Amino acid sequence: ENALISGIAFNKDQTKFTLHGVEDTPGIAYKILGPVNDKDISVDVIVQNISVNGKTDFTFTVDSEDEEQVKSILKSKQSGLDYIDLLIDADIAKVSIVGAGMRSHAGIASKAFEALSNESINIQLISTSEIKITMVIEDKYLELAVKTLHKAFNLDK
Amino acid sequence: ENALISGIAFNKDQTKFTLHGVEDTPGIAYKILGPVNDKDISVDVIVQNISVNGKTDFTFTVDSEDEEQVKSILKSKQSGLDYIDLLIDADIAKVSIVGAGMRSHAGIASKAFEALSNESINIQLISTSEIKITMVIEDKYLELAVKTLHKAFNLDK
Ligand SMILES: C[C@@H](O)[C@H](N)C(=O)O
Ligand SMILES: C[C@@H](O)[C@H](N)C(=O)O
């Protein structure tokens, strides 16, 4: 499956927002992202996993320059949203394995996970699509992660 | 941004596996997906959000025909993985908004979230990339969701 990988993309200039403990009921995702969109703020990764005991976490990343504005939007909405905690983290980097038509992610993803694990790099967030496996890690490991993944997928020229 | 949307894709034949309460330490994602990949099982969506108190949930979907095999792989790995609970759900449908170059997901995502919320359809899982916003919902709402999203994005011919 290696032949499908066209490269490793990365971005250090994002901030991750996590609304911890939102209600898992219809309309909540819109209540979170609607106000951010109304201010024309560009959102990149959006990840939400299933809820346990009716609550879940909703995470999204924005360009770091928009951090202050997003923070004030979310803080002003807290009463309507009812989340337990707002976690903001600018010390992140996004690393993606980019390929074409990755029918099954398992092979490519497990190879990427293995490569990062061999370097003891912790994966904070994972999101996949047909063309990309996106992982958020601590920004201090970005260079090591990119080097490791280049090697794992034989992308070293 | 409507012009960018090319269609709504969906799939009812998947099963969602969630390992609830895995340790958020390097190597865990590989320990989960490595064994699944070793058996050549095709994995589609992979979602993991940030951890709280050192534990997080890891979710992935497979074709429903592979459900039993994945279940026995994960159950046999429980001692090495140390998860609190294995949640399996075949009553799901995956619905995706497919577009090209969606630089910012906020506009398209919040419109999709609003459309589903107006029909009281709960979004269980969210994962995004440049070309797709993927949502997992209960399979009984699939037809309504696809109709609603077609309308919201003016895709009705
Ligand atoms: C948490 C959020 O995604 C909620 N389930 C919704 O449908 O909006
Ligand atoms: C939970 C899992 O993703 C872990 N953080 C890892 O790096 O493998």
Side-chain angles (χ1 to χ4, degrees), chain B residues 49-93:
Chain B
N49 209 325
I50 68 164
S51 65
V52 182
N53 304 325
K55 288 207 187 283
T56 185
D57 301 332
F58 186 95
T59 296
F60 63 91
T61 64
V62 299
D63 294 337
S64 288
E65 68 197 22
D66 295 323
E67 179 180 332
E68 285 312 311
Q69 205 184 348
V70 172
K71 199 164 141 186
S72 71
I73 295 170
L74 293 176
K75 290 230 182 259
S76 71
K77 291 281 161 199
Q78 186 157 11
S79 57
L81 272 172
D82 187 18
Y83 53 84
I84 297 169
D85 211 355
L86 176 60
L87 306 164
I88 304 170
D89 184 359
D91 300 326
I92 61 159

Side-chain angles (χ1 to χ4, degrees), chain A residues 35-69:
Chain A
V36 173
N37 177 53
D38 292 349
K39 296 270 191 287
D40 284 333
I41 292 169
S42 188
V43 171
D44 185 8
V45 181
I46 305 172
V47 166
Q48 177 212 313
N49 209 328
I50 67 163
S51 66
V52 181
N53 303 329
K55 288 202 187 282
T56 185
D57 299 335
F58 187 95
T59 297
F60 63 92
T61 65
V62 299
D63 294 338
S64 288
E65 67 196 26
D66 295 324
E67 181 179 330
E68 286 311 315
Q69 201 181 352

Side-chain angles (χ1 to χ4, degrees), chain A:
Chain A
E1 256 204 290
N2 260 8
L4 289 172
I5 303 295
S6 52
I8 310 285
F10 56 89
N11 181 334
K12 268 188 100 151
D13 304 321
Q14 294 193 343
T15 298
K16 186 180 68 182
F17 284 85
T18 300
L19 284 82
H20 169 51
V22 296
E23 296 286 326
D24 184 21
T25 51
I28 295 298
Y30 177 58
K31 272 195 182 153
I32 296 168
L33 226 58
V36 173
N37 177 53
D38 292 349
K39 296 270 191 287
D40 284 333
I41 292 169
S42 188
V43 171
D44 185 8
V45 181
I46 305 172
V47 166
Q48 177 212 313
N49 209 328
I50 67 163
S51 66
V52 181
N53 303 329
K55 288 202 187 282
T56 185
D57 299 335
F58 187 95
T59 297
F60 63 92
T61 65
V62 299
D63 294 338
S64 288
E65 67 196 26
D66 295 324
E67 181 179 330
E68 286 311 315
Q69 201 181 352
V70 172
K71 202 164 139 185
S72 71
I73 294 171
L74 293 175
K75 291 234 183 256
S76 71
K77 288 281 159 202
Q78 185 156 9
S79 57
L81 270 173
D82 186 22
Y83 51 85
I84 299 170
D85 213 354
L86 176 60
L87 308 165
I88 304 170
D89 185 1
D91 300 327
I92 61 159
K94 185 181 80 158
V95 184
S96 302
I97 317 269
V98 186
M102 305 197 290
R103 169 59 205 115
S104 164
H105 299 112
I108 295 164
S110 77
K111 187 179 213 144
F113 299 158
E114 181 182 23
L116 295 186
S117 122
N118 290 342
E119 299 291 343
S120 296
I121 297 173
N122 194 49
I123 307 165
Q124 299 181 3
L125 201 81
I126 300 168
S127 166
T128 58
S129 78
E130 274 69 23
I131 60 155
K132 241 188 200 188
I133 293 178
T134 295
M135 297 166 283
V136 169
I137 60 173
E138 232 180 307
D139 56 2
K140 72 182 179 198
Y141 296 118
L142 179 60
E143 208 178 314
L144 176 59
V146 173
K147 245 186 230 147
T148 307
L149 292 169
H150 268 287
K151 218 166 119 212
F153 291 99
N154 307 323
L155 294 166
D156 291 340
K157 297 287 170 273

Side-chain angles (χ1 to χ4, degrees), chain B residues 76-146:
Chain B
S76 71
K77 291 281 161 199
Q78 186 157 11
S79 57
L81 272 172
D82 187 18
Y83 53 84
I84 297 169
D85 211 355
L86 176 60
L87 306 164
I88 304 170
D89 184 359
D91 300 326
I92 61 159
K94 186 182 78 158
V95 185
S96 301
I97 319 269
V98 186
M102 303 194 293
R103 173 58 207 114
S104 165
H105 301 112
I108 295 166
S110 76
K111 184 179 226 159
F113 299 158
E114 180 182 24
L116 294 186
S117 120
N118 289 342
E119 297 292 343
S120 297
I121 298 173
N122 193 50
I123 307 164
Q124 298 181 4
L125 202 80
I126 300 167
S127 167
T128 58
S129 79
E130 274 68 22
I131 59 154
K132 243 188 197 188
I133 294 177
T134 294
M135 297 165 283
V136 168
I137 60 173
E138 227 180 310
D139 58 2
K140 70 183 183 199
Y141 295 118
L142 180 59
E143 209 177 313
L144 176 59
V146 172

